[in-house]
Amino acid sequence: MANGVTLESLRQSLIRQEDTIIFSLIERARFPSNSPTYNESYVSTPTFSGSLVHSVVKETEALQAKAGRYENPEEHPFFPDNLPPSVVPPYNFTEVLHPPAALININKDIWDMYFKKLLQLFAARGDDGNYASTVASDLVCLQALSRRIHYGKLVAEVKFRESPAEYEPAIRAKDRDALMKLLTFESVEEAVKKRVAKKAMVFGQEVTLNNDDKKEKYKVDPSVVSRLYGDWIMPLTKLVQVEYLLRRLD
Ligand SMILES: C=C(O[C@@H]1C=C(C(=O)O)C=C[C@H]1O)C(=O)O
């Protein structure tokens, strides 16, 4: 495969990204739900409009855009409109993707999934006033999830290059269901769900020097991590793959 990217190397990267995602959830779980962070009327000044999370993410992204974050095709902003240009000298990122891929950004779905469904499953109810740190943790989670899910573009490219003759008819027919079937590997998905639950147990256990004092209490519930992958991360990664393949012959 061109540029040394193979399905195996991409799967290894997705496995490594599991660590980042699980640690980011563990960090967010240090704080309770902290609902004022997400309340549109909690702050209202001309510089901060909307919720604290909205303003802080938008402004952080603007700063990171100037620092060149979105020059990397693996990065996708949550607020892509009116981002300032990068001020850093360009780096020559290897071009693996078909150019129309740049248009695919499903961060709106990731945002809704994270705030409307996931967060309440792992953040304890409560308010400790640490709203700015809470947003900072949310953004780390969101960016890790977004990077992982948009990796679907690379996965789809490699799958297409490995067997174009299988994908082309379904692409030309715009047959989403057929594409979804072609790109799905159920045994891989089952292994992912089991591995992330196991990682959540290992990474999220209380470490003590006293071996017999082992309480089975994890910093993030392993079944929530498994559900995050099974219900949202993998379906969204596959959605990105379908969207990518539909544009692959443009
Ligand atoms: C990413 C892949 O494509 C699909 C999505 C998966 C995922 O998001 O982890 C796993 C298996 C496939 O059904 C892959 O084949 O590795």
Side-chain angles (χ1 to χ4, degrees):
M1 160 96 212
N3 315 314
V5 185
T6 63
L7 188 51
E8 191 41 42
S9 70
L10 293 175
R11 284 181 174 155
Q12 284 307 317
S13 172
L14 293 176
I15 290 172
R16 175 61 186 83
Q17 290 181 52
E18 293 164 4
D19 304 5
T20 309
I21 290 174
I22 294 166
F23 279 117
S24 74
L25 299 178
I26 290 174
E27 284 304 283
R28 175 59 185 83
R30 289 163 54 215
F31 305 107
S33 47
N34 281 342
S35 64
T37 315
Y38 313 105
N39 182 341
E40 307 232 331
S41 49
Y42 176 65
V43 240
S44 119
T45 71
T47 42
F48 267 52
S49 60
S51 60
L52 203 54
V53 73
H54 182 278
S55 312
V56 174
V57 170
K58 202 167 165 9
E59 290 196 28
T60 306
E61 287 195 336
L63 178 61
Q64 294 190 345
K66 285 196 253 177
R69 183 176 186 114
Y70 304 108
E71 300 307 298
N72 181 339
E74 290 172 15
E75 298 288 348
H76 300 76
F78 284 84
F79 297 101
D81 297 335
N82 308 315
L83 276 179
S86 165
V87 297
V88 303
Y91 176 88
N92 205 2
F93 289 103
T94 357
E95 274 178 47
V96 178
L97 299 175
H98 190 55
L103 299 173
I104 302 166
N105 178 341
I106 65 158
N107 274 345
K108 176 86 185 62
D109 296 329
I110 298 172
W111 180 279
D112 288 346
M113 175 275 284
Y114 181 81
F115 290 112
K116 293 189 181 152
K117 296 178 181 153
L118 178 62
L119 198 50
Q120 65 219 42
L121 298 180
F122 76 97
R125 287 167 75 92
D127 184 339
D128 69 0
N130 286 309
Y131 312 138
S133 308
T134 298
V135 183
S137 295
D138 283 329
L139 181 55
V140 173
C141 292
L142 286 167
Q143 287 176 330
L145 291 167
S146 175
R147 176 179 258 264
R148 195 285 181 202
I149 289 166
H150 288 98
Y151 237 65
K153 295 182 186 181
L154 288 163
V155 175
E157 174 62 23
V158 170
K159 287 180 180 171
F160 175 82
R161 286 197 207 173
E162 278 182 359
S163 32
E166 269 186 60
Y167 282 96
E168 276 176 23
I171 296 172
R172 291 192 203 286
K174 301 195 188 334
D175 187 341
R176 306 178 78 96
D177 293 343
L179 289 171
M180 192 58 99
K181 252 203 192 121
L182 282 170
L183 60 82
T184 295
F185 290 81
E186 291 197 3
S187 59
V188 174
E189 295 187 24
E190 283 313 307
V192 169
K193 280 190 276 181
K194 285 197 191 131
R195 188 176 50 245
V196 294
K198 186 169 179 188
K199 285 185 178 180
M201 288 180 196
V202 175
F203 302 162
Q205 66 190 305
E206 217 48 74
V207 177
T208 64
L209 296 178
N210 179 354
N211 285 336
D212 46 45
D213 178 20
K214 201 160 183 267
K215 292 179 235 88
E216 295 297 308
K217 178 147 182 8
Y218 303 110
K219 290 169 187 155
V220 169
D221 181 349
S223 70
V224 167
V225 178
S226 187
R227 181 163 170 215
L228 164 64
Y229 268 80
D231 288 2
W232 300 309
I233 293 184
M234 294 195 288
L236 289 170
T237 305
K238 294 202 288 179
L239 173 65
V240 168
Q241 293 186 57
V242 170
E243 294 296 332
Y244 181 86
L245 289 164
L246 287 172
R247 293 166 176 81
R248 183 57 181 77
L249 300 175
D250 290 359

